[in-house]
Amino acid sequence: NLDISNNKRENKMTHTILKEILAEMKKITLHADAIETNIFDLSIELRKIKDNTQKSTIKIKLTREQVVEKYKLDKDLSGYDLSELDLSGLYFRDINLQRSDLHNTNLRNTDLTDANLTRTNLHKANLSGANLRGAFLCKANLCGANLTGAKLSRADLTEADLCEANLCRANLYKANLSGVDLSRSYLGGADLSGANLCGVNIKNENI
C-alpha cells in the first residue's frame, strides 16, 4: 500500500511538472510568435523608409524662371535639379544649393557670393567669371568645370573634385583647398596666394 501511495504521489508530481513545462513552452511559443510579428512589422517599416528615401533622392527639375522665383522666396534651392539651365549673370548671393544638380549649367558671371554649394554636382558647369567669394564648396563635384577668371577668394573647397577643371586666371586668394583633387586641371595665371594647399592632389596639372 505504501508503494502504491508513493507511486501515485510521484505520478501526480510528474503530471504537475509536465503541466508546468507545457505551460512554459506555450509561453515561449507565444513569445516567439510575438517576436516574429514584430520582425515582420519592422521589415514593413524598413521597406517604407527605403521607399521614402528613394523618392527623396529624385530631384525636382526647375526652369530658370522657377529658380529666380524660388530664390526671391527663401533662397533655398537645395536638392533641386538645375542641370543644363542658363543661369548666367543672375544674382544669387547667400543661396543654398547644397546637394543640387547643376551639371552642364551655365553660371557665367553669376553672383554666388557666400553661397552654400556643399556636395553640389557642378560637373562641367560653366562658372567662368562667376563670383564665388566666401562660398562653401566642400566635397562639390567640379570635375571638368570652367572656372576661368572665377573669383574664389576665401572660398571653402575642402575635398572638392576639381580634376580636369579650367582655373585659368581664377582668384583663389586665401581659399581653403585642403584635400582638393586638382589632377589634370589647368591653373595658368591662377592666384593661389595665401591658399591652404594641404593634401592637394596636383598630379599632371598644367600651370
Side-chain angles (χ1 to χ4, degrees):
N1 290 337
L2 184 60
D3 290 338
I4 293 170
S5 178
N6 288 336
N7 287 337
K8 286 182 178 179
R9 194 179 299 110
E10 287 176 1
N11 288 337
K12 188 176 180 180
M13 288 178 63
T14 303
H15 183 67
T16 303
I17 291 168
L18 285 171
K19 280 181 69 177
E20 290 176 355
I21 290 170
L22 287 171
E24 287 299 320
M25 287 178 68
K26 188 176 181 180
K27 288 180 183 178
I28 291 168
T29 303
L30 290 171
H31 187 58
D33 290 341
I35 291 172
E36 187 178 354
T37 302
N38 289 336
I39 290 171
F40 179 73
D41 292 341
L42 182 61
S43 66
I44 292 173
E45 289 301 317
L46 288 171
R47 197 176 298 118
K48 287 179 181 178
I49 292 168
K50 184 180 179 181
D51 291 341
N52 290 333
T53 302
Q54 289 175 342
K55 288 177 183 178
S56 66
T57 58
I58 299 172
K59 293 178 169 57
I60 299 170
K61 180 74 174 177
L62 298 182
T63 64
R64 176 188 168 101
E65 292 72 23
Q66 288 172 329
V67 172
V68 173
E69 288 304 313
K70 186 75 169 68
Y71 175 75
K72 289 178 181 177
L73 182 66
D74 59 11
K75 298 184 180 181
D76 186 4
L77 283 125
S78 56
Y80 284 95
D81 182 358
L82 313 179
S83 60
E84 300 181 345
L85 292 180
D86 182 3
L87 302 175
S88 58
L90 294 176
Y91 180 92
F92 285 147
R93 287 198 172 204
D94 298 307
I95 193 170
N96 182 8
L97 288 163
Q98 188 174 4
R99 295 180 184 273
S100 292
D101 186 358
L102 287 98
H103 79 269
N104 287 323
T105 299
N106 185 2
L107 293 158
R108 186 173 181 271
N109 295 324
T110 299
D111 190 348
L112 292 161
T113 305
D114 296 321
N116 185 355
L117 292 149
T118 304
R119 295 182 182 273
T120 301
N121 182 11
L122 290 153
H123 178 64
K124 290 189 175 181
N126 183 3
L127 288 152
S128 58
N131 187 353
L132 289 152
R133 290 188 180 96
F136 295 92
L137 290 142
C138 303
K139 295 186 178 181
N141 179 7
L142 288 149
C143 186
N146 182 4
L147 290 150
T148 304
K151 304 169 187 67
L152 289 147
S153 57
R154 301 181 188 278
D156 189 351
L157 292 111
T158 303
E159 296 183 11
D161 187 355
L162 283 154
C163 70
E164 299 180 356
N166 187 352
L167 290 152
C168 176
R169 300 188 307 280
N171 182 359
L172 291 153
Y173 172 73
K174 287 194 174 182
N176 186 357
L177 297 167
S178 58
V180 168
D181 185 0
L182 286 167
S183 58
R184 301 181 302 282
S185 61
Y186 182 69
L187 293 160
D191 182 3
L192 292 162
S193 56
N196 180 359
L197 300 169
C198 181
V200 170
N201 178 11
I202 52 174
K203 186 178 179 181
N204 299 322
E205 83 290 353
N206 296 306
I207 300 177

